[in-house]
Amino acid sequence: MTIKKISKDAFGKFVDGLIKQQKVMGPCAKGDRFEFEQLDSSSQLRLDYDVTLRPPNRKYFLPPVETLLTCEVGGGYQSVYDDTEFVLLGIHPYDLAALNQMDQIFSRDNYDTHYMKRRLAATIIACDVVTPSKDVFAASMGTATAEAGFDVLLTDIGDSYLMETGSPKGEKLIEKAQGAVDAAAGDLEKRKNIWKENQGRLSKHKLNCSSSYLPKLLEKAYSHPVWEEKAKTCFSCGSCNQVCPTCYCFNVQDDVSWDFTKGTRQRAWDGCLLDGFTKVAGEHEFRKKREDRFRHRLYRKGKYVPEKLGTKTPACVGCGRCVSACLPDIANPVNIYNRLIDDLGLE
Amino acid sequence: MIKQNTVEKDIYLPQLATVKKAAMLNETELYLHLAMDGQPLDYVPGQFVEVSLAGIGEAPVTIASSPTFKDGFELVIRKVGTVTNAVHKLQPGDKLGIRGAFGKGVYPVEEAKGRNIIFICGGIGLVPQRSFINYVLDNRADYGDVIILLGTKCQSQRFFLDELKAWSQRSDIQFIETVDQGEDCWKGNVGVVTTLIPKIKSKLASAVIPVCGPPVMYKFVLMALQEYELPHENIYLNLERKMKCGVGKCGHCQINHSYVCMDGPVFKYSDLGVMPEAI
């Protein structure tokens, strides 16, 4: 592990150098919001962003629509891969936690070559949060800061950035950063304070239990009235699914060329809140009731996925996007889990 | 750190199979006899495949044949959606894509050895069960009493008529059939499949009981079995869902925490305590 300090000017030049060599995706302003885009110049980069519209881990590794296969009608299939090298620059610790979780999902059991080729071609430069978003609660989910899972971690300490490497790939990358010097003890102290402050600042909603308690809490909450109460005003629009960095459900569909000779098989984001998600031939829908779909999402985040992966980290990373995106304002996981704690107690 | 897999197999890539025989079994059910162009399909009763038609789509279908059937494999496909409608146009010699076989929760071919088996089938639920039934019939000496209960909505929807006739004529198995709605020309039992259960109640106690039918059937079958106080681990339920990807990723087939494509599609009733969405 190396920790270097680089002035913001020099860092801009470093990024411009990277852009000449490979694709660099970073947070840019989009109206009064932010979104990860391919950078043409370091001047577009907004590392002071609060939160992006879409989670960058899903946008780049499990894109909204991707072609898995091409085929000839009546003939065979060929795999389609995208393994273009790129740098994902500026991902926040909570989205990084989601990325690490998704890596587990797509590399375990059945290794997903489409996801993994893209993932292995990427260099991850994470960035500590400078401006907390209005609904972030990463501190409650243990994701306000990052300890691992990045190639490089950036921390804004005022007039410069600290760059910590987390992998040989990261080591190699920052060798190219001209003007970077070894970080001094005082710089590390500054960073430590920022990390400490971020635990408090990234806490706009506060979960009243340890996040590792959620599976246990949900064990006794299946028939709780909160699911029906909240779902009464749910539009089943799936916005909470669409903006979530840990949602990975997808649909697979085929498209055919105009002359019906060639086709493609694509996967596209899907959402368990949407009506029809579990519908099978013959019009039978297994999770027909809105409250059942609503509950399923909260159970996936708090119980099913962490138990599947055998981790203590929930599959909610506290980015707060669903809280901001939900029109009837019922999606906030913290409100729901806290309500369950109030009614069912701890233990 | 994430690890790169050394085997770069695409889990979404179908392998080609050729239609050897295609025949309508009734108005809606198509029988397909298929053979893989490359490596033969390796499967056990209860497993399913993803059937692909290039440019149209993919759908999960449970295998209808027993692995003892060595000449390729068989599927029965109801005409009901985009993919299945297109599948119904296939002719002998046509190609289609196959992925699989999938599913780790399968019929208990080994555990059932030496025991009585009572198959409870509703409508097209006969198809997955047939894989196990034929396996048992091909290894008849390994199993105890074999009883097949079949309920079909109406006479015109019955299929595999030759096989049903052959089962009814065998002396080493008991085959009892009913239709929900009787017609003048139907001389057999009338009523839902659960009405057949009292007829074989003396055999229920220690039997292995595989159940497969439309979603609505399971609750009623379990209710009917309830009064005999059978051990729940003897009852096997085929809980097929929308197994879209077949490899435990896409989320469509999930019953609570469980992915049907990975943990199922066949589940022991005794394992469903933590899966309230199952029935």
Side-chain angles (χ1 to χ4, degrees):
Chain A
M1 183 184 77
T2 314
I3 307 175
K4 296 270 186 190
K5 180 165 108 163
I6 187 167
S7 74
K8 288 190 172 173
D9 275 353
F11 182 76
K13 287 185 185 116
F14 166 59
V15 172
D16 284 324
L18 283 179
I19 291 170
K20 280 183 194 142
Q21 291 160 5
Q22 55 184 318
K23 284 184 184 176
V24 179
M25 315 299 182
C28 301
K30 189 164 188 173
D32 57 356
R33 310 284 293 276
F34 297 94
E35 177 73 342
F36 274 81
E37 305 284 0
Q38 187 179 344
L39 302 176
D40 298 320
S41 148
S42 64
S43 61
Q44 295 166 284
L45 191 62
R46 288 288 302 273
L47 289 175
D48 61 338
Y49 77 104
D50 55 358
V51 65
T52 54
L53 291 162
R54 280 184 292 183
N57 61 311
R58 267 175 88 191
K59 181 169 180 174
Y60 294 111
F61 300 110
L62 188 69
V65 182
E66 97 181 86
T67 299
L68 298 175
L69 309 168
T70 57
C71 54
E72 280 163 36
V73 173
Y77 299 80
Q78 294 83 40
S79 305
V80 176
Y81 292 116
D82 178 9
D83 54 1
T84 320
E85 287 195 351
F86 73 99
V87 177
L88 180 59
L89 169 57
I91 183 170
H92 278 163
Y94 49 81
D95 283 338
L96 181 72
L99 171 65
N100 292 335
Q101 201 166 86
M102 220 173 264
D103 291 346
Q104 298 285 318
I105 303 275
F106 284 95
S107 61
R108 276 196 194 182
D109 298 330
N110 289 306
Y111 188 89
D112 189 309
T113 41
H114 297 271
Y115 177 96
M116 290 306 291
K117 275 187 192 285
R118 220 176 287 120
R119 178 65 184 86
L120 291 163
T123 306
I124 307 294
I125 306 181
C127 176
D128 276 312
V129 177
V130 176
T131 316
S133 71
K134 71 180 175 68
D135 284 315
V136 65
F137 55 95
S140 282
M141 296 301 173
T143 60
T145 55
E147 277 163 22
F150 50 80
D151 295 307
V152 179
L153 172 67
L154 295 178
T155 312
D156 184 332
I157 56 160
D159 55 355
S160 16
Y161 291 110
L162 290 193
M163 301 193 289
E164 175 181 331
T165 58
S167 71
K169 211 179 205 177
E171 292 280 349
K172 213 172 150 197
L173 189 84
I174 68 162
E175 277 171 15
K176 298 174 193 161
Q178 286 185 2
V181 295
D182 288 340
D187 301 322
L188 296 181
E189 195 58 31
K190 272 188 199 166
R191 187 173 75 157
K192 212 168 145 191
N193 286 333
I194 288 167
W195 285 350
K196 205 174 154 197
E197 277 170 31
N198 275 0
Q199 294 295 344
R201 293 165 75 227
L202 272 61
S203 190
K204 300 294 172 69
H205 308 280
K206 198 177 172 330
L207 184 67
N208 296 331
C209 70
S210 153
S211 62
S212 62
Y213 178 68
L214 290 175
K216 236 177 164 179
L217 174 70
L218 291 174
E219 225 160 74
K220 49 190 179 182
Y222 201 76
S223 307
H224 194 276
V226 73
W227 313 118
E228 202 182 331
E229 282 167 30
K230 294 274 180 188
K232 263 184 194 156
T233 52
C234 176
F235 294 127
S236 296
C237 68
S239 297
C240 51
N241 293 135
Q242 295 294 296
V243 298
C244 180
T246 67
C247 273
Y248 60 88
C249 289
F250 57 82
N251 194 13
V252 182
Q253 57 211 22
D254 279 26
D255 195 10
V256 70
S257 65
W258 67 275
D259 58 353
F260 305 107
T261 58
K262 290 185 180 70
T264 56
R265 179 156 298 166
Q266 297 169 328
R267 76 168 149 200
W269 289 1
D270 207 341
C272 61
L273 264 290
L274 298 170
D275 190 14
F277 183 75
T278 57
K279 196 191 270 182
V280 294
E283 296 298 296
H284 188 90
E285 189 170 353
F286 289 95
R287 223 174 280 121
K288 176 81 187 148
K289 287 190 196 157
R290 256 187 308 199
E291 58 262 37
D292 292 351
R293 298 198 295 275
F294 187 84
R295 176 178 56 200
H296 187 68
R297 181 178 84 96
L298 275 300
Y299 266 71
R300 269 185 74 103
K301 304 302 170 201
K303 189 171 176 11
Y304 301 154
V305 176
E307 284 182 348
K308 179 185 162 92
L309 296 178
T311 60
K312 289 201 161 173
T313 334
C316 168
V317 293
C319 71
R321 288 184 181 93
C322 63
V323 185
S324 312
C326 182
L327 276 175
D329 193 17
I330 51 171
N332 189 336
V334 175
N335 285 351
I336 296 163
Y337 295 141
N338 282 350
R339 163 79 186 279
L340 293 174
I341 294 166
D342 286 348
D343 289 358
L344 304 170
L346 294 165
E347 283 310 321
Chain B
M1 275 300 281
I2 46 165
K3 282 210 178 86
Q4 186 164 3
N5 204 338
T6 43
V7 185
E8 296 243 326
K9 184 178 157 254
D10 184 355
I11 52 176
Y12 303 108
L13 186 70
Q15 301 300 317
L16 284 182
T18 305
V19 178
K20 294 184 77 170
K21 194 180 163 200
M24 290 303 288
L25 297 176
N26 59 20
E27 251 179 49
T28 48
E29 262 74 62
L30 173 77
Y31 164 88
L32 283 180
H33 178 187
L34 304 169
M36 299 303 295
D37 289 3
Q39 198 77 351
L41 191 71
D42 187 16
Y43 67 98
V44 292
Q47 284 193 305
F48 68 96
V49 290
E50 297 282 349
V51 173
S52 259
L53 281 183
I56 293 163
E58 202 173 37
V61 180
T62 300
I63 302 162
S65 50
S66 155
T68 47
F69 177 79
K70 292 293 175 203
D71 181 26
F73 61 102
E74 299 168 310
L75 303 176
V76 173
I77 298 177
R78 178 173 286 181
K79 187 176 186 172
V80 74
T82 317
V83 177
T84 52
N85 265 286
V87 167
H88 269 240
K89 295 181 183 136
L90 290 173
Q91 298 294 323
D94 286 348
K95 303 277 180 195
L96 70 168
I98 295 288
R99 282 196 300 133
F102 295 124
K104 294 189 189 102
V106 291
Y107 286 119
V109 288
E110 289 304 319
E111 299 95 298
K113 280 190 177 158
R115 298 173 64 182
N116 298 340
I117 310 178
I118 300 171
F119 293 94
I120 302 179
C121 323
I124 200 171
L126 172 64
V127 174
Q129 300 267 62
R130 179 180 177 261
S131 176
F132 190 13
I133 293 171
N134 283 349
Y135 186 90
V136 169
L137 296 182
D138 287 341
N139 296 280
R140 186 64 193 89
D142 292 347
Y143 299 90
D145 290 344
V146 173
I147 299 172
I148 303 166
L149 307 183
L150 171 64
T152 314
K153 201 183 261 176
C154 58
Q155 201 182 340
S156 64
Q157 288 193 6
R158 295 169 70 237
F159 57 91
F160 282 138
L161 299 182
D162 292 345
E163 279 173 58
L164 300 190
K165 196 173 169 192
W167 292 350
S168 67
Q169 288 169 350
R170 280 178 79 136
S171 58
D172 63 343
I173 65 170
Q174 198 181 347
F175 172 62
I176 315 177
E177 205 186 347
T178 182
V179 294
D180 294 2
Q181 299 143 15
E183 289 147 282
D184 290 346
C185 53
W186 177 253
K187 302 283 178 257
N189 298 305
V190 175
V192 291
V193 73
T194 48
T195 60
L196 300 178
I197 293 172
K199 293 182 198 290
I200 49 96
K201 63 183 177 190
S202 64
K203 304 281 186 185
L204 284 167
S206 59
V208 168
I209 307 174
V211 184
C212 187
V216 64
M217 191 186 90
Y218 293 90
K219 200 168 261 173
F220 291 102
V221 167
L222 291 170
M223 260 157 57
L225 293 175
Q226 182 89 352
E227 62 178 283
Y228 302 100
E229 294 175 353
L230 306 173
H232 287 186
E233 55 269 24
N234 287 1
I235 303 172
Y236 290 83
L237 305 166
N238 191 324
L239 301 178
E240 292 177 14
R241 294 291 189 268
K242 184 177 177 181
M243 293 92 81
K244 188 74 200 174
C245 75
V247 288
K249 310 286 186 207
C250 83
H252 287 92
C253 70
Q254 226 179 333
I255 301 177
N256 297 105
H257 68 285
S258 183
Y259 282 77
V260 173
C261 67
M262 300 290 284
D263 306 330
V266 180
F267 291 87
K268 268 189 193 178
Y269 186 31
S270 51
D271 290 339
L272 299 183
V274 290
M275 293 163 63
E277 288 181 337
I279 305 294

